[in-house]
Amino acid sequence: MDLTDFGAGAQYIAGRQARGSGEPFQVVNPADGTVVEEVALATAGDVDAAVAAARDALPGWSSATPGARSEALTRLAAVLGATADDLARVETAQTGKPVKLATEFDVPGTVDNAAFFAGAARNLEGKAAGEYSGDHTSYVRREAIGVVGSISPWNYPLQMAAWKILPAIAAGNTIVLKPAELTPLTSVMFARACTEAGIPDGVVNVVTGAGRTAGEHLVAHPGVAMVSFTGSTAVGRRVAELATASVKRTHLELGGKAPFVVFDDADLDAAVHGAVAASLINGGQDCTAATRAYVQRPLYDAFVAGVAELFAAVRIGDPRNPHTDLGPLVSFAHRDRVAGFVERARSYATVVTGGPAPDKGHDGFDLTRGAYHAPTLITGAAQDSEVVQGEVFGPVLVVLPFDGDDEGLRLANDTPYGLAASAWTGNVHRSLRATREIAAGCVWVNDHIPIISEMPHGGYKASGYGKDMSQYSLDEYTQVKHVMFDTTAVARKDWHRTVFGDR
């Protein structure tokens, strides 16, 4: 099976690839503006068909043994690994991310996720069976919820598809995934890989459509039992509103504005290199990317100088070139949005380096044809300014000074978001305090960005709730049932007198 053949369309329903019933849409390579594929978008009718396929597949898949589901996911990991080069190539074409990031991060991370959930499928945890009341034996069952409707974002299309699909189906659910219409291709490839791995038709379905039509119809669909969404906080509120109307379970992984807190005893060289990597990963289009660096005053000037020097050395160019560090942003519209944040900041802060991209890349690639923006370092912004508080989602780092530890931690928590953060220090007591007091779902110490399949990913506050990856994620996609057996065989039980009769 050629996973890269999109001639049949960008919908995947009941084990078959198909064209949507809606308007044509061009998937554009943001590096040069060329069309990667033209697809037909899904309509509400296509969503209905996908939900129906998922409902038809649910009884068989949810009743399969954990071992059978595990074996299927093990085969899926092998299929994904065998097509790794194709996945990386298509991911780079539709997103513009450097091929070295797709090859060394996105694809192997997805394969590892599949392998992890193959194991997790056999580990449905519950409280030990026992006679907790004395007269009854109780035990806990973890059961599938039903059809899951998931919406994934454009920044990590392949990995986010995996984060949505794998725990859901490992737990026995079936799923309809709506990827972002800007970047749907590797999500379709993932669904085709599921079929090749022997996962039954209808267990994994993909509908490529616009949020206002396909997305909202999926979230509100009466046949969907749970909704999982990754994207902006604003859209997450709308998803929650629609899901709440029919009392669906929701899982929301929303925006972020991650602080990067550098104390005065930190390894300056490590912090500078860490800040550059953490702020520029995926062009800064990462909700856990470092966006606000708070640096204790003794290190502030040296930190700013060090980051500026490294930013200037970042190789911008053709994302297909394995030596390119920074590719384009996902679209021209998004590039203009990021540029707007930077240009407005010039009126109240200092743009130390960055802004519009140069005309030529490190490899001579014509950057004017693509949605490029140079790595941008900003200082002198007020804590309540737009560039400090707003989610820019681009290669932009704002650096602010602080004095005492109390101030640094207060500033780190001073946004509505709480997805990720990092603390940089050589003092164990400082690190323990920072990890305890920073309100975020993940806090790194002396690093920023690494994730692993065994550990959960998810936020606090306006960054949402629920966990991706890890056993915690599998649990999110199950419902807990308490089963209780009488052990006495007594017809008239003592507690009955509280309702009728006497002792």
mmCIF file of all heavy atoms in Angstrom, residues 382-419:
data_model
loop_
_atom_site.group_PDB
_atom_site.id
_atom_site.type_symbol
_atom_site.label_atom_id
_atom_site.label_comp_id
_atom_site.label_asym_id
_atom_site.label_seq_id
_atom_site.Cartn_x
_atom_site.Cartn_y
_atom_site.Cartn_z
ATOM 1 N N ALA A 382 6.858 45.448 28.714
ATOM 2 C CA ALA A 382 6.216 45.381 30.024
ATOM 3 C C ALA A 382 5.528 44.029 30.200
ATOM 4 O O ALA A 382 5.109 43.396 29.227
ATOM 5 C CB ALA A 382 5.198 46.510 30.159
ATOM 6 N N GLN A 383 5.405 43.605 31.454
ATOM 7 C CA GLN A 383 4.783 42.317 31.744
ATOM 8 C C GLN A 383 3.363 42.220 31.199
ATOM 9 O O GLN A 383 2.921 41.153 30.770
ATOM 10 C CB GLN A 383 4.780 42.068 33.260
ATOM 11 C CG GLN A 383 4.069 40.806 33.715
ATOM 12 C CD GLN A 383 4.749 39.518 33.266
ATOM 13 O OE1 GLN A 383 5.885 39.524 32.806
ATOM 14 N NE2 GLN A 383 4.041 38.411 33.395
ATOM 15 N N ASP A 384 2.632 43.318 31.171
ATOM 16 C CA ASP A 384 1.246 43.276 30.698
ATOM 17 C C ASP A 384 1.107 43.594 29.209
ATOM 18 O O ASP A 384 0.002 43.763 28.705
ATOM 19 C CB ASP A 384 0.369 44.236 31.513
ATOM 20 C CG ASP A 384 0.805 45.699 31.378
ATOM 21 O OD1 ASP A 384 1.838 45.970 30.731
ATOM 22 O OD2 ASP A 384 0.097 46.567 31.941
ATOM 23 N N SER A 385 2.212 43.648 28.486
ATOM 24 C CA SER A 385 2.149 43.979 27.064
ATOM 25 C C SER A 385 1.665 42.793 26.243
ATOM 26 O O SER A 385 1.716 41.634 26.670
ATOM 27 C CB SER A 385 3.525 44.431 26.557
ATOM 28 O OG SER A 385 4.466 43.376 26.670
ATOM 29 N N GLU A 386 1.226 43.097 25.025
ATOM 30 C CA GLU A 386 0.667 42.065 24.154
ATOM 31 C C GLU A 386 1.668 40.958 23.859
ATOM 32 O O GLU A 386 1.327 39.766 23.904
ATOM 33 C CB GLU A 386 0.223 42.709 22.838
ATOM 34 C CG GLU A 386 -0.330 41.710 21.829
ATOM 35 C CD GLU A 386 -0.501 42.306 20.436
ATOM 36 O OE1 GLU A 386 0.443 42.942 19.932
ATOM 37 O OE2 GLU A 386 -1.581 42.095 19.853
ATOM 38 N N VAL A 387 2.893 41.302 23.591
ATOM 39 C CA VAL A 387 3.868 40.301 23.175
ATOM 40 C C VAL A 387 4.266 39.386 24.330
ATOM 41 O O VAL A 387 4.718 38.261 24.116
ATOM 42 C CB VAL A 387 5.098 40.974 22.524
ATOM 43 C CG1 VAL A 387 6.042 41.559 23.572
ATOM 44 C CG2 VAL A 387 5.827 40.003 21.609
ATOM 45 N N VAL A 388 4.089 39.846 25.565
ATOM 46 C CA VAL A 388 4.375 39.016 26.733
ATOM 47 C C VAL A 388 3.180 38.139 27.083
ATOM 48 O O VAL A 388 3.336 36.981 27.466
ATOM 49 C CB VAL A 388 4.780 39.886 27.943
ATOM 50 C CG1 VAL A 388 4.923 39.042 29.207
ATOM 51 C CG2 VAL A 388 6.090 40.608 27.662
ATOM 52 N N GLN A 389 1.985 38.665 26.944
ATOM 53 C CA GLN A 389 0.793 37.941 27.367
ATOM 54 C C GLN A 389 0.144 37.122 26.248
ATOM 55 O O GLN A 389 -0.492 36.099 26.509
ATOM 56 C CB GLN A 389 -0.245 38.930 27.922
ATOM 57 C CG GLN A 389 0.185 39.622 29.205
ATOM 58 C CD GLN A 389 0.278 38.667 30.387
ATOM 59 O OE1 GLN A 389 -0.467 37.710 30.494
ATOM 60 N NE2 GLN A 389 1.232 38.938 31.280
ATOM 61 N N GLY A 390 0.272 37.559 25.002
ATOM 62 C CA GLY A 390 -0.409 36.883 23.900
ATOM 63 C C GLY A 390 0.374 35.712 23.350
ATOM 64 O O GLY A 390 1.607 35.674 23.401
ATOM 65 N N GLU A 391 -0.343 34.736 22.797
ATOM 66 C CA GLU A 391 0.309 33.569 22.208
ATOM 67 C C GLU A 391 0.709 33.899 20.767
ATOM 68 O O GLU A 391 -0.107 33.833 19.848
ATOM 69 C CB GLU A 391 -0.612 32.355 22.254
ATOM 70 C CG GLU A 391 0.117 31.063 21.909
ATOM 71 C CD GLU A 391 -0.745 29.824 22.088
ATOM 72 O OE1 GLU A 391 -1.980 29.934 22.072
ATOM 73 O OE2 GLU A 391 -0.173 28.730 22.226
ATOM 74 N N VAL A 392 1.987 34.245 20.581
ATOM 75 C CA VAL A 392 2.489 34.652 19.261
ATOM 76 C C VAL A 392 2.565 33.455 18.320
ATOM 77 O O VAL A 392 2.219 33.534 17.146
ATOM 78 C CB VAL A 392 3.865 35.331 19.398
ATOM 79 C CG1 VAL A 392 4.401 35.738 18.029
ATOM 80 C CG2 VAL A 392 3.775 36.533 20.330
ATOM 81 N N PHE A 393 3.061 32.323 18.812
ATOM 82 C CA PHE A 393 3.163 31.083 18.046
ATOM 83 C C PHE A 393 4.083 31.245 16.838
ATOM 84 O O PHE A 393 3.756 30.857 15.713
ATOM 85 C CB PHE A 393 1.786 30.593 17.610
ATOM 86 C CG PHE A 393 1.575 29.116 17.845
ATOM 87 C CD1 PHE A 393 1.692 28.585 19.115
ATOM 88 C CD2 PHE A 393 1.266 28.258 16.798
ATOM 89 C CE1 PHE A 393 1.507 27.225 19.339
ATOM 90 C CE2 PHE A 393 1.080 26.900 17.007
ATOM 91 C CZ PHE A 393 1.197 26.388 18.283
ATOM 92 N N GLY A 394 5.242 31.803 17.083
ATOM 93 C CA GLY A 394 6.245 31.975 16.037
ATOM 94 C C GLY A 394 7.624 32.036 16.670
ATOM 95 O O GLY A 394 7.779 31.902 17.890
ATOM 96 N N PRO A 395 8.661 32.284 15.863
ATOM 97 C CA PRO A 395 10.046 32.268 16.367
ATOM 98 C C PRO A 395 10.404 33.556 17.102
ATOM 99 O O PRO A 395 11.291 34.300 16.688
ATOM 100 C CB PRO A 395 10.866 32.089 15.091
ATOM 101 C CG PRO A 395 10.048 32.762 14.037
ATOM 102 C CD PRO A 395 8.606 32.513 14.403
ATOM 103 N N VAL A 396 9.698 33.825 18.180
ATOM 104 C CA VAL A 396 9.834 35.091 18.913
ATOM 105 C C VAL A 396 10.041 34.796 20.389
ATOM 106 O O VAL A 396 9.237 34.089 21.004
ATOM 107 C CB VAL A 396 8.581 35.969 18.729
ATOM 108 C CG1 VAL A 396 8.723 37.271 19.514
ATOM 109 C CG2 VAL A 396 8.338 36.261 17.248
ATOM 110 N N LEU A 397 11.112 35.335 20.961
ATOM 111 C CA LEU A 397 11.411 35.182 22.385
ATOM 112 C C LEU A 397 11.493 36.561 23.018
ATOM 113 O O LEU A 397 12.214 37.431 22.532
ATOM 114 C CB LEU A 397 12.732 34.436 22.587
ATOM 115 C CG LEU A 397 13.192 34.261 24.039
ATOM 116 C CD1 LEU A 397 12.229 33.362 24.819
ATOM 117 C CD2 LEU A 397 14.613 33.682 24.087
ATOM 118 N N VAL A 398 10.760 36.749 24.105
ATOM 119 C CA VAL A 398 10.808 38.003 24.870
ATOM 120 C C VAL A 398 11.595 37.735 26.150
ATOM 121 O O VAL A 398 11.338 36.752 26.852
ATOM 122 C CB VAL A 398 9.386 38.487 25.219
ATOM 123 C CG1 VAL A 398 9.451 39.847 25.913
ATOM 124 C CG2 VAL A 398 8.527 38.570 23.974
ATOM 125 N N VAL A 399 12.550 38.608 26.458
ATOM 126 C CA VAL A 399 13.378 38.441 27.649
ATOM 127 C C VAL A 399 13.129 39.601 28.605
ATOM 128 O O VAL A 399 13.186 40.762 28.204
ATOM 129 C CB VAL A 399 14.876 38.363 27.289
ATOM 130 C CG1 VAL A 399 15.709 38.060 28.538
ATOM 131 C CG2 VAL A 399 15.123 37.295 26.228
ATOM 132 N N LEU A 400 12.846 39.255 29.860
ATOM 133 C CA LEU A 400 12.604 40.258 30.895
ATOM 134 C C LEU A 400 13.476 39.946 32.111
ATOM 135 O O LEU A 400 13.695 38.775 32.434
ATOM 136 C CB LEU A 400 11.136 40.277 31.325
ATOM 137 C CG LEU A 400 10.083 40.576 30.255
ATOM 138 C CD1 LEU A 400 9.592 39.284 29.607
ATOM 139 C CD2 LEU A 400 8.903 41.321 30.858
ATOM 140 N N PRO A 401 13.951 40.977 32.827
ATOM 141 C CA PRO A 401 14.772 40.739 34.014
ATOM 142 C C PRO A 401 13.914 40.584 35.277
ATOM 143 O O PRO A 401 12.755 41.021 35.310
ATOM 144 C CB PRO A 401 15.609 42.014 34.106
ATOM 145 C CG PRO A 401 14.689 43.069 33.563
ATOM 146 C CD PRO A 401 13.871 42.412 32.489
ATOM 147 N N PHE A 402 14.490 39.933 36.288
ATOM 148 C CA PHE A 402 13.867 39.943 37.609
ATOM 149 C C PHE A 402 14.968 39.988 38.664
ATOM 150 O O PHE A 402 16.140 39.713 38.387
ATOM 151 C CB PHE A 402 12.941 38.738 37.805
ATOM 152 C CG PHE A 402 13.622 37.393 37.937
ATOM 153 C CD1 PHE A 402 13.983 36.886 39.184
ATOM 154 C CD2 PHE A 402 13.892 36.608 36.816
ATOM 155 C CE1 PHE A 402 14.595 35.645 39.314
ATOM 156 C CE2 PHE A 402 14.506 35.366 36.931
ATOM 157 C CZ PHE A 402 14.862 34.882 38.183
ATOM 158 N N ASP A 403 14.566 40.321 39.869
ATOM 159 C CA ASP A 403 15.534 40.428 40.968
ATOM 160 C C ASP A 403 15.457 39.208 41.881
ATOM 161 O O ASP A 403 16.186 38.252 41.700
ATOM 162 C CB ASP A 403 15.318 41.743 41.720
ATOM 163 C CG ASP A 403 15.695 42.961 40.875
ATOM 164 O OD1 ASP A 403 16.831 42.992 40.373
ATOM 165 O OD2 ASP A 403 14.842 43.837 40.680
ATOM 166 N N GLY A 404 14.562 39.197 42.835
ATOM 167 C CA GLY A 404 14.489 38.073 43.760
ATOM 168 C C GLY A 404 13.712 36.887 43.211
ATOM 169 O O GLY A 404 12.961 36.987 42.236
ATOM 170 N N ASP A 405 13.873 35.725 43.871
ATOM 171 C CA ASP A 405 13.199 34.509 43.449
ATOM 172 C C ASP A 405 11.676 34.663 43.475
ATOM 173 O O ASP A 405 10.984 34.160 42.584
ATOM 174 C CB ASP A 405 13.597 33.340 44.351
ATOM 175 C CG ASP A 405 15.039 32.917 44.145
ATOM 176 O OD1 ASP A 405 15.817 33.699 43.561
ATOM 177 O OD2 ASP A 405 15.396 31.805 44.581
ATOM 178 N N ASP A 406 11.159 35.348 44.494
ATOM 179 C CA ASP A 406 9.709 35.547 44.583
ATOM 180 C C ASP A 406 9.183 36.242 43.330
ATOM 181 O O ASP A 406 8.151 35.855 42.774
ATOM 182 C CB ASP A 406 9.353 36.400 45.809
ATOM 183 C CG ASP A 406 9.588 35.665 47.122
ATOM 184 O OD1 ASP A 406 9.835 34.444 47.086
ATOM 185 O OD2 ASP A 406 9.519 36.313 48.182
ATOM 186 N N GLU A 407 9.902 37.257 42.880
ATOM 187 C CA GLU A 407 9.471 38.000 41.700
ATOM 188 C C GLU A 407 9.519 37.124 40.458
ATOM 189 O O GLU A 407 8.598 37.128 39.638
ATOM 190 C CB GLU A 407 10.335 39.241 41.497
ATOM 191 C CG GLU A 407 9.916 40.074 40.286
ATOM 192 C CD GLU A 407 10.889 41.193 39.961
ATOM 193 O OE1 GLU A 407 12.023 41.177 40.475
ATOM 194 O OE2 GLU A 407 10.516 42.085 39.175
ATOM 195 N N GLY A 408 10.598 36.372 40.312
ATOM 196 C CA GLY A 408 10.731 35.528 39.128
ATOM 197 C C GLY A 408 9.606 34.515 39.006
ATOM 198 O O GLY A 408 9.034 34.320 37.923
ATOM 199 N N LEU A 409 9.248 33.874 40.109
ATOM 200 C CA LEU A 409 8.185 32.879 40.074
ATOM 201 C C LEU A 409 6.819 33.529 39.902
ATOM 202 O O LEU A 409 5.939 32.987 39.221
ATOM 203 C CB LEU A 409 8.229 32.035 41.343
ATOM 204 C CG LEU A 409 9.500 31.190 41.499
ATOM 205 C CD1 LEU A 409 9.514 30.475 42.837
ATOM 206 C CD2 LEU A 409 9.635 30.188 40.360
ATOM 207 N N ARG A 410 6.645 34.712 40.487
ATOM 208 C CA ARG A 410 5.379 35.427 40.305
ATOM 209 C C ARG A 410 5.182 35.792 38.836
ATOM 210 O O ARG A 410 4.089 35.611 38.276
ATOM 211 C CB ARG A 410 5.358 36.685 41.180
ATOM 212 C CG ARG A 410 4.090 37.535 40.988
ATOM 213 C CD ARG A 410 4.126 38.773 41.848
ATOM 214 N NE ARG A 410 5.255 39.645 41.539
ATOM 215 C CZ ARG A 410 5.295 40.489 40.509
ATOM 216 N NH1 ARG A 410 4.274 40.547 39.652
ATOM 217 N NH2 ARG A 410 6.344 41.256 40.307
ATOM 218 N N LEU A 411 6.226 36.311 38.199
ATOM 219 C CA LEU A 411 6.124 36.671 36.794
ATOM 220 C C LEU A 411 5.883 35.441 35.920
ATOM 221 O O LEU A 411 5.113 35.490 34.951
ATOM 222 C CB LEU A 411 7.393 37.393 36.346
ATOM 223 C CG LEU A 411 7.630 38.779 36.949
ATOM 224 C CD1 LEU A 411 9.025 39.282 36.600
ATOM 225 C CD2 LEU A 411 6.571 39.768 36.481
ATOM 226 N N ALA A 412 6.515 34.335 36.261
ATOM 227 C CA ALA A 412 6.323 33.107 35.480
ATOM 228 C C ALA A 412 4.862 32.676 35.474
ATOM 229 O O ALA A 412 4.347 32.190 34.459
ATOM 230 C CB ALA A 412 7.196 31.991 36.040
ATOM 231 N N ASN A 413 4.184 32.871 36.593
ATOM 232 C CA ASN A 413 2.786 32.450 36.699
ATOM 233 C C ASN A 413 1.801 33.507 36.212
ATOM 234 O O ASN A 413 0.592 33.253 36.177
ATOM 235 C CB ASN A 413 2.457 32.108 38.152
ATOM 236 C CG ASN A 413 3.008 30.752 38.555
ATOM 237 O OD1 ASN A 413 3.101 29.840 37.733
ATOM 238 N ND2 ASN A 413 3.368 30.611 39.822
ATOM 239 N N ASP A 414 2.312 34.651 35.813
ATOM 240 C CA ASP A 414 1.440 35.786 35.516
ATOM 241 C C ASP A 414 0.947 35.788 34.065
ATOM 242 O O ASP A 414 1.184 36.718 33.301
ATOM 243 C CB ASP A 414 2.171 37.094 35.834
ATOM 244 C CG ASP A 414 1.280 38.317 35.644
ATOM 245 O OD1 ASP A 414 0.054 38.175 35.793
ATOM 246 O OD2 ASP A 414 1.815 39.405 35.335
ATOM 247 N N THR A 415 0.289 34.725 33.660
ATOM 248 C CA THR A 415 -0.473 34.664 32.407
ATOM 249 C C THR A 415 -1.650 33.733 32.655
ATOM 250 O O THR A 415 -1.652 32.971 33.627
ATOM 251 C CB THR A 415 0.336 34.109 31.210
ATOM 252 O OG1 THR A 415 0.554 32.714 31.406
ATOM 253 C CG2 THR A 415 1.644 34.835 31.010
ATOM 254 N N PRO A 416 -2.626 33.756 31.765
ATOM 255 C CA PRO A 416 -3.755 32.824 31.925
ATOM 256 C C PRO A 416 -3.372 31.364 31.666
ATOM 257 O O PRO A 416 -4.112 30.459 32.031
ATOM 258 C CB PRO A 416 -4.768 33.295 30.873
ATOM 259 C CG PRO A 416 -4.342 34.664 30.478
ATOM 260 C CD PRO A 416 -2.861 34.707 30.668
ATOM 261 N N TYR A 417 -2.217 31.154 31.026
ATOM 262 C CA TYR A 417 -1.857 29.813 30.581
ATOM 263 C C TYR A 417 -1.049 29.053 31.629
ATOM 264 O O TYR A 417 -0.457 29.642 32.525
ATOM 265 C CB TYR A 417 -1.047 29.894 29.290
ATOM 266 C CG TYR A 417 -1.772 30.591 28.165
ATOM 267 C CD1 TYR A 417 -1.428 31.881 27.769
ATOM 268 C CD2 TYR A 417 -2.806 29.955 27.484
ATOM 269 C CE1 TYR A 417 -2.097 32.519 26.732
ATOM 270 C CE2 TYR A 417 -3.480 30.580 26.446
ATOM 271 C CZ TYR A 417 -3.120 31.862 26.073
ATOM 272 O OH TYR A 417 -3.785 32.482 25.057
ATOM 273 N N GLY A 418 -0.992 27.722 31.443
ATOM 274 C CA GLY A 418 -0.198 26.901 32.346
ATOM 275 C C GLY A 418 0.087 25.545 31.741
ATOM 276 O O GLY A 418 -0.232 24.515 32.332
ATOM 277 N N LEU A 419 0.693 25.534 30.574
ATOM 278 C CA LEU A 419 0.972 24.262 29.904
ATOM 279 C C LEU A 419 2.356 23.740 30.252
ATOM 280 O O LEU A 419 2.514 22.581 30.639
ATOM 281 C CB LEU A 419 0.827 24.415 28.389
ATOM 282 C CG LEU A 419 0.958 23.124 27.585
ATOM 283 C CD1 LEU A 419 -0.070 22.091 28.022
ATOM 284 C CD2 LEU A 419 0.825 23.397 26.092
#
